[in-house]
Amino acid sequence: MTLLTLQRSDDSPRAAPRIIGIVAKPGSSVAEESVHRVLRLLGTLGVEALVEEETAKHYESLQRYPKFRLDMDPPDRIIVVGGDGTLLRTFMLLSRPDSVVMGIRAGKRGFLLDVEQYEIEDRVRDFVAGEYRVEEYFRAEVFRGEKRLGCILNDAVIMTKMSKMVKLSVYIDGERAMGIDGDGVIVSTTVGSSAYSLSAGGPVVDPRVDVFVVTPMNPVQLFLRPIIAPPDSIIEVEVTPGSNELYLSLDGQIMVDLGVGDIVTVKRCEEPVRIARFKWWENYYERLYTRLLTYW
Amino acid sequence: MTLLTLQRSDDSPRAAPRIIGIVAKPGSSVAEESVHRVLRLLGTLGVEALVEEETAKHYESLQRYPKFRLDMDPPDRIIVVGGDGTLLRTFMLLSRPDSVVMGIRAGKRGFLLDVEQYEIEDRVRDFVAGEYRVEEYFRAEVFRGEKRLGCILNDAVIMTKMSKMVKLSVYIDGERAMGIDGDGVIVSTTVGSSAYSLSAGGPVVDPRVDVFVVTPMNPVQLFLRPIIAPPDSIIEVEVTPGSNELYLSLDGQIMVDLGVGDIVTVKRCEEPVRIARFKWWENYYERLYTRLLTYW
Amino acid sequence: MTLLTLQRSDDSPRAAPRIIGIVAKPGSSVAEESVHRVLRLLGTLGVEALVEEETAKHYESLQRYPKFRLDMDPPDRIIVVGGDGTLLRTFMLLSRPDSVVMGIRAGKRGFLLDVEQYEIEDRVRDFVAGEYRVEEYFRAEVFRGEKRLGCILNDAVIMTKMSKMVKLSVYIDGERAMGIDGDGVIVSTTVGSSAYSLSAGGPVVDPRVDVFVVTPMNPVQLFLRPIIAPPDSIIEVEVTPGSNELYLSLDGQIMVDLGVGDIVTVKRCEEPVRIARFKWWENYYERLYTRLLTYW
Amino acid sequence: MTLLTLQRSDDSPRAAPRIIGIVAKPGSSVAEESVHRVLRLLGTLGVEALVEEETAKHYESLQRYPKFRLDMDPPDRIIVVGGDGTLLRTFMLLSRPDSVVMGIRAGKRGFLLDVEQYEIEDRVRDFVAGEYRVEEYFRAEVFRGEKRLGCILNDAVIMTKMSKMVKLSVYIDGERAMGIDGDGVIVSTTVGSSAYSLSAGGPVVDPRVDVFVVTPMNPVQLFLRPIIAPPDSIIEVEVTPGSNELYLSLDGQIMVDLGVGDIVTVKRCEEPVRIARFKWWENYYERLYTRLLTYW
């Protein structure tokens, strides 16, 4: 049997970075300690370390380091320490599309971050030496009416506020694909297919397939099923008359209130994100199910 | 093939009521007009009509009628005009367990109300003449900690506030039956099995079977399935550490905020409710699916 | 929190049996060895052991023991060694409704058999001493047309022969409850709810609730959901015109070909079965999910 | 809102065909009559009509026409009359990849055939005049071990023979993606996603996305979900030790027995099929759900 190989990655030789930015999940002693391990090693390797402004606010011990902002002029190498939420927030704010991000897991969850606690020093050394592969991930751009809200890596969730039925119409490239009376709908990317959408009944999408997954949430229309839509399609969700209160959640990071008549548009984001991978995706399905089965 | 017969109903002869109370859904011209049809006929038949205080507040045209409150000293015959929500609210407030309630549907939904617009006069005449069958429906009593919150006909829903993962443990008679990391859980009665629980993946329960249905909502634990629990079991839902914000919704009528450490207890309510039925449940499944399929 | 207690069991003192019958799964060296451990101990305890005729045919080493048949004049105490299939076959043939059966698990599966390899001697001693609880389990009686086919503990499965669409109508007490164009339908008891029906999308039924679960198999009618029917209802499945070839499987033990016009009737079997339990069902849900999660 | 446009179609001008082949579903008077309407019109238009050998065998009235075989030297324009099964059989046998096929629906089902009875003459005229669009559909090639079995348009189904549990391992590009103990697995193309896979819990795939859908059938492993795999991946299904009897069904047309150790391989078929479309896919989702909802 052949080995799975990813097409959309690049492993050309690269120069060592002079500066690396660090972002961490707030309120976690594991994250804090990991950051200090990273800082110590970067010092030894002669790489300048900047700490994200927002991160520094949450940790006394990080306040004396030079700062940077993700949305202003971030470095082109970034290390994220935490869970999926921290990574999602980083990419949502990151203003520099060519930055490469490395993820260190601190905590139980964190499917997208592949460096474990025990290997922090080895992988940071690899990151500085350029010994990794860059994977690009397809993202979605979300609008409320004409207003651009940003790009997301996982999902846009349109959901009831008070468990009262909302009413939605979903259009794919202008064609009505679903009428939903229920809790809401999830529009997910390939990456997001293993997150919220999976719990709501969506399929697992192989990381090499670029698609949108449109997953209805607890609809009265029992015959509805998730839809796999092309990555270049335009998905519009309209809030229709009679709907109860609802909101839009972007990657679980930003919440926006919606009302009847609102149209949320989701389409391919022009800028993918770039993640450094030290282990290949050779075990995607095993990792997926192992993670899920640790929950009981 | 034999005909379905309900065991838990009574059709003994009964005296004509002197007083009938009326409850209606607010803000519906169809409901308002139906109420006036009922009032006109009751006048002709020599039955005194009282209008519920809360209902009267919403309709100018009903303010001159004598009033009553559901939670004080309600009549023993009540006519509800509206949808399932109006009926659920009526039973939640109704302080008199022997009251018999008749339901007139005004609006699209209203699975529990079986009198249609075209037959209002015929069925009200039957109601006054005692020409109906009384069906008793099993309800659930809900507590938050030690505090009794009331009895529900459909369901107790424990759900995330901001689409962020909540963490719950469900116990049935003291045994841990589910650990849920997801949107929440629905504890439904037999009647409620065709409502929210059905949309969330629960089974249809025949109206003659008294059970609780415990339906997890979009759990990370993909292997979880709805559980059918005995009607005399005690179901406890505990909010466990690490849970995000959540609330408890009773029959979609009352919302209560919950937090980590809260325990919601659901058990059989001592008092069932009593609904007048003019048509038998002979077509339960056909009615169920016909209703669902009108939604596309 | 209170402990779960089963109502339908009996633990009155009982006399030691003089004779015990033994049934074992064919072709398993683990089962064969277990039977010899049982035989040795029964000899010591002065209890006469009979080996089932059919079981003896499969094991050279068992042929010299006195025999019995399940369908003729079986003893009132029986020990079954194997998996769920062996137990299901035993109950299907067993002609004596008051026999008490004890189950020893030999092999990976065997959710219904609760005695493990390591404790065989202790539990057989208990069985002889009368130190156990008798649990009674509700069964279903199945007919094809007028012909009685027998009683089942788990499920009656009506299923396509060659993966071509079959057409069925399901009636509950004479009312049409489902029209199925698909792979077939499962009519399961409470015990069977954790077997095939669960894999096909049915709910878990608490062992203390007596119901039928009617689970459609891969229907074109995507809106269908499993139905929970009363234990005293009569469930009829009719093969309708246009159906492809199909068969009826009883507890996975007996296969009967069906054709258009056939009606399969399922109702409560007058005789429940009786299983000796040494450990209480206090951990039903934990056991259920633990078993399921060993499959990855 | 923009209109959905298909990328993979061609509508260049084309010469009128001199010869058209006709294939029909056997044993249908509607199909027979439709074929005669087509034959009459083709005569008027001066186009020679050939009837498929196998089709002619089933209809007395068609035996006098000149014949052709799908697998020998078929014409480059073919009209299929019947349901999806007839179309699937046609493409399975068709030896000429550049043939364009037009489908006339005769009977209730037939999602893939878009010409209705009332418009036969208009659409056959369009077909002769070259007034249509050619849609190409991605297919899958299936092997048992080294032996090539053919190309399929809908799905390869690996399924239990006697409703007894089968054991399978699914590999995607050499990586183990599922272990299934259950009824089997469906490997479906995009087109097939709206057929068997949908009933078994798979998602709807937009016709413009080329993917495989791997849908487990009633697995004991309740946590499994359908997987969306790349169209260029190699999917291998291995029958593992302990499996009960099973078979492989190709588009519901060909059945092959399988046994432990067998490996079924599915990959992209080099030759897509070509269907003439007169109505655009502008209503794909509406057509899909409308069809499903006629089943109750």
Side-chain angles (χ1 to χ4, degrees), chain B residues 38-55:
Chain B
V38 171
L39 288 169
R40 216 170 296 133
L41 180 58
L42 291 182
T44 315
L45 297 173
V47 178
E48 186 183 357
L50 307 181
V51 174
E52 190 223 7
E53 239 181 67
E54 192 60 31
T55 300

PDB file of all heavy atoms in Angstrom, chain B residues 38-55:
ATOM      1  N   VAL B  38     -65.588  31.650  19.733  1.00  0.00           N
ATOM      2  CA  VAL B  38     -65.860  30.837  20.924  1.00  0.00           C
ATOM      3  C   VAL B  38     -66.758  31.607  21.898  1.00  0.00           C
ATOM      4  O   VAL B  38     -67.756  31.073  22.413  1.00  0.00           O
ATOM      5  CB  VAL B  38     -64.535  30.427  21.612  1.00  0.00           C
ATOM      6  CG1 VAL B  38     -64.810  29.767  22.967  1.00  0.00           C
ATOM      7  CG2 VAL B  38     -63.723  29.491  20.722  1.00  0.00           C
ATOM      8  N   LEU B  39     -66.442  32.887  22.123  1.00  0.00           N
ATOM      9  CA  LEU B  39     -67.210  33.700  23.072  1.00  0.00           C
ATOM     10  C   LEU B  39     -68.682  33.817  22.647  1.00  0.00           C
ATOM     11  O   LEU B  39     -69.593  33.688  23.467  1.00  0.00           O
ATOM     12  CB  LEU B  39     -66.593  35.099  23.171  1.00  0.00           C
ATOM     13  CG  LEU B  39     -65.253  35.186  23.921  1.00  0.00           C
ATOM     14  CD1 LEU B  39     -64.597  36.545  23.720  1.00  0.00           C
ATOM     15  CD2 LEU B  39     -65.450  34.912  25.420  1.00  0.00           C
ATOM     16  N   ARG B  40     -68.876  34.062  21.347  1.00  0.00           N
ATOM     17  CA  ARG B  40     -70.225  34.196  20.805  1.00  0.00           C
ATOM     18  C   ARG B  40     -71.022  32.926  21.091  1.00  0.00           C
ATOM     19  O   ARG B  40     -72.134  32.967  21.605  1.00  0.00           O
ATOM     20  CB  ARG B  40     -70.132  34.423  19.288  1.00  0.00           C
ATOM     21  CG  ARG B  40     -71.194  35.369  18.741  1.00  0.00           C
ATOM     22  CD  ARG B  40     -70.867  35.719  17.293  1.00  0.00           C
ATOM     23  NE  ARG B  40     -69.611  36.461  17.169  1.00  0.00           N
ATOM     24  CZ  ARG B  40     -68.640  36.188  16.287  1.00  0.00           C
ATOM     25  NH1 ARG B  40     -68.758  35.182  15.433  1.00  0.00           N
ATOM     26  NH2 ARG B  40     -67.538  36.913  16.264  1.00  0.00           N
ATOM     27  N   LEU B  41     -70.423  31.764  20.786  1.00  0.00           N
ATOM     28  CA  LEU B  41     -71.134  30.496  20.952  1.00  0.00           C
ATOM     29  C   LEU B  41     -71.408  30.197  22.420  1.00  0.00           C
ATOM     30  O   LEU B  41     -72.519  29.766  22.777  1.00  0.00           O
ATOM     31  CB  LEU B  41     -70.311  29.363  20.322  1.00  0.00           C
ATOM     32  CG  LEU B  41     -70.944  27.970  20.421  1.00  0.00           C
ATOM     33  CD1 LEU B  41     -72.331  27.925  19.778  1.00  0.00           C
ATOM     34  CD2 LEU B  41     -70.044  26.928  19.758  1.00  0.00           C
ATOM     35  N   LEU B  42     -70.414  30.439  23.276  1.00  0.00           N
ATOM     36  CA  LEU B  42     -70.626  30.163  24.709  1.00  0.00           C
ATOM     37  C   LEU B  42     -71.783  31.004  25.239  1.00  0.00           C
ATOM     38  O   LEU B  42     -72.600  30.535  26.041  1.00  0.00           O
ATOM     39  CB  LEU B  42     -69.338  30.429  25.512  1.00  0.00           C
ATOM     40  CG  LEU B  42     -68.187  29.445  25.252  1.00  0.00           C
ATOM     41  CD1 LEU B  42     -66.985  29.790  26.139  1.00  0.00           C
ATOM     42  CD2 LEU B  42     -68.605  27.999  25.508  1.00  0.00           C
ATOM     43  N   GLY B  43     -71.892  32.290  24.785  1.00  0.00           N
ATOM     44  CA  GLY B  43     -73.001  33.154  25.173  1.00  0.00           C
ATOM     45  C   GLY B  43     -74.334  32.492  24.815  1.00  0.00           C
ATOM     46  O   GLY B  43     -75.244  32.371  25.649  1.00  0.00           O
ATOM     47  N   THR B  44     -74.436  32.037  23.595  1.00  0.00           N
ATOM     48  CA  THR B  44     -75.655  31.362  23.125  1.00  0.00           C
ATOM     49  C   THR B  44     -75.990  30.153  23.971  1.00  0.00           C
ATOM     50  O   THR B  44     -77.153  29.847  24.232  1.00  0.00           O
ATOM     51  CB  THR B  44     -75.437  30.868  21.670  1.00  0.00           C
ATOM     52  OG1 THR B  44     -74.833  31.909  20.924  1.00  0.00           O
ATOM     53  CG2 THR B  44     -76.748  30.454  21.036  1.00  0.00           C
ATOM     54  N   LEU B  45     -74.951  29.417  24.387  1.00  0.00           N
ATOM     55  CA  LEU B  45     -75.163  28.174  25.128  1.00  0.00           C
ATOM     56  C   LEU B  45     -75.349  28.415  26.631  1.00  0.00           C
ATOM     57  O   LEU B  45     -75.524  27.463  27.396  1.00  0.00           O
ATOM     58  CB  LEU B  45     -73.965  27.229  24.922  1.00  0.00           C
ATOM     59  CG  LEU B  45     -73.716  26.749  23.496  1.00  0.00           C
ATOM     60  CD1 LEU B  45     -72.405  25.976  23.414  1.00  0.00           C
ATOM     61  CD2 LEU B  45     -74.867  25.858  23.023  1.00  0.00           C
ATOM     62  N   GLY B  46     -75.282  29.683  27.045  1.00  0.00           N
ATOM     63  CA  GLY B  46     -75.496  29.998  28.455  1.00  0.00           C
ATOM     64  C   GLY B  46     -74.343  29.619  29.370  1.00  0.00           C
ATOM     65  O   GLY B  46     -74.522  29.394  30.559  1.00  0.00           O
ATOM     66  N   VAL B  47     -73.144  29.552  28.803  1.00  0.00           N
ATOM     67  CA  VAL B  47     -71.959  29.254  29.611  1.00  0.00           C
ATOM     68  C   VAL B  47     -71.188  30.563  29.847  1.00  0.00           C
ATOM     69  O   VAL B  47     -70.975  31.328  28.905  1.00  0.00           O
ATOM     70  CB  VAL B  47     -71.043  28.238  28.902  1.00  0.00           C
ATOM     71  CG1 VAL B  47     -69.793  27.979  29.739  1.00  0.00           C
ATOM     72  CG2 VAL B  47     -71.795  26.950  28.621  1.00  0.00           C
ATOM     73  N   GLU B  48     -70.796  30.790  31.083  1.00  0.00           N
ATOM     74  CA  GLU B  48     -70.035  31.998  31.364  1.00  0.00           C
ATOM     75  C   GLU B  48     -68.596  31.843  30.873  1.00  0.00           C
ATOM     76  O   GLU B  48     -67.976  30.799  31.104  1.00  0.00           O
ATOM     77  CB  GLU B  48     -70.027  32.290  32.875  1.00  0.00           C
ATOM     78  CG  GLU B  48     -69.352  33.623  33.192  1.00  0.00           C
ATOM     79  CD  GLU B  48     -69.267  33.890  34.705  1.00  0.00           C
ATOM     80  OE1 GLU B  48     -69.790  33.061  35.494  1.00  0.00           O
ATOM     81  OE2 GLU B  48     -68.652  34.889  35.090  1.00  0.00           O
ATOM     82  N   ALA B  49     -68.047  32.866  30.219  1.00  0.00           N
ATOM     83  CA  ALA B  49     -66.669  32.808  29.711  1.00  0.00           C
ATOM     84  C   ALA B  49     -65.782  33.772  30.469  1.00  0.00           C
ATOM     85  O   ALA B  49     -66.137  34.942  30.645  1.00  0.00           O
ATOM     86  CB  ALA B  49     -66.655  33.138  28.228  1.00  0.00           C
ATOM     87  N   LEU B  50     -64.638  33.261  30.920  1.00  0.00           N
ATOM     88  CA  LEU B  50     -63.626  34.112  31.542  1.00  0.00           C
ATOM     89  C   LEU B  50     -62.414  34.153  30.620  1.00  0.00           C
ATOM     90  O   LEU B  50     -62.079  33.145  29.999  1.00  0.00           O
ATOM     91  CB  LEU B  50     -63.198  33.534  32.899  1.00  0.00           C
ATOM     92  CG  LEU B  50     -64.300  33.216  33.914  1.00  0.00           C
ATOM     93  CD1 LEU B  50     -63.673  32.688  35.209  1.00  0.00           C
ATOM     94  CD2 LEU B  50     -65.145  34.438  34.178  1.00  0.00           C
ATOM     95  N   VAL B  51     -61.774  35.309  30.548  1.00  0.00           N
ATOM     96  CA  VAL B  51     -60.566  35.415  29.723  1.00  0.00           C
ATOM     97  C   VAL B  51     -59.351  35.519  30.656  1.00  0.00           C
ATOM     98  O   VAL B  51     -59.397  36.250  31.652  1.00  0.00           O
ATOM     99  CB  VAL B  51     -60.637  36.641  28.791  1.00  0.00           C
ATOM    100  CG1 VAL B  51     -59.318  36.827  28.039  1.00  0.00           C
ATOM    101  CG2 VAL B  51     -61.786  36.475  27.796  1.00  0.00           C
ATOM    102  N   GLU B  52     -58.309  34.779  30.300  1.00  0.00           N
ATOM    103  CA  GLU B  52     -57.111  34.819  31.143  1.00  0.00           C
ATOM    104  C   GLU B  52     -56.538  36.235  31.177  1.00  0.00           C
ATOM    105  O   GLU B  52     -56.464  36.904  30.138  1.00  0.00           O
ATOM    106  CB  GLU B  52     -56.052  33.844  30.592  1.00  0.00           C
ATOM    107  CG  GLU B  52     -54.881  33.644  31.542  1.00  0.00           C
ATOM    108  CD  GLU B  52     -53.539  33.658  30.831  1.00  0.00           C
ATOM    109  OE1 GLU B  52     -53.496  33.956  29.619  1.00  0.00           O
ATOM    110  OE2 GLU B  52     -52.523  33.378  31.491  1.00  0.00           O
ATOM    111  N   GLU B  53     -56.144  36.673  32.346  1.00  0.00           N
ATOM    112  CA  GLU B  53     -55.626  38.027  32.537  1.00  0.00           C
ATOM    113  C   GLU B  53     -54.526  38.390  31.546  1.00  0.00           C
ATOM    114  O   GLU B  53     -54.562  39.424  30.889  1.00  0.00           O
ATOM    115  CB  GLU B  53     -55.036  38.130  33.950  1.00  0.00           C
ATOM    116  CG  GLU B  53     -55.681  39.192  34.814  1.00  0.00           C
ATOM    117  CD  GLU B  53     -55.017  39.240  36.185  1.00  0.00           C
ATOM    118  OE1 GLU B  53     -53.832  39.627  36.267  1.00  0.00           O
ATOM    119  OE2 GLU B  53     -55.681  38.847  37.149  1.00  0.00           O
ATOM    120  N   GLU B  54     -53.539  37.494  31.426  1.00  0.00           N
ATOM    121  CA  GLU B  54     -52.387  37.729  30.555  1.00  0.00           C
ATOM    122  C   GLU B  54     -52.827  37.826  29.082  1.00  0.00           C
ATOM    123  O   GLU B  54     -52.326  38.672  28.335  1.00  0.00           O
ATOM    124  CB  GLU B  54     -51.394  36.564  30.756  1.00  0.00           C
ATOM    125  CG  GLU B  54     -50.036  36.761  30.155  1.00  0.00           C
ATOM    126  CD  GLU B  54     -49.306  37.978  30.706  1.00  0.00           C
ATOM    127  OE1 GLU B  54     -49.522  38.323  31.884  1.00  0.00           O
ATOM    128  OE2 GLU B  54     -48.549  38.595  29.929  1.00  0.00           O
ATOM    129  N   THR B  55     -53.740  36.957  28.684  1.00  0.00           N
ATOM    130  CA  THR B  55     -54.255  36.986  27.314  1.00  0.00           C
ATOM    131  C   THR B  55     -54.937  38.323  27.030  1.00  0.00           C
ATOM    132  O   THR B  55     -54.713  38.952  25.983  1.00  0.00           O
ATOM    133  CB  THR B  55     -55.279  35.840  27.110  1.00  0.00           C
ATOM    134  OG1 THR B  55     -54.636  34.595  27.353  1.00  0.00           O
ATOM    135  CG2 THR B  55     -55.860  35.857  25.701  1.00  0.00           C
TER     136      THR B  55
END
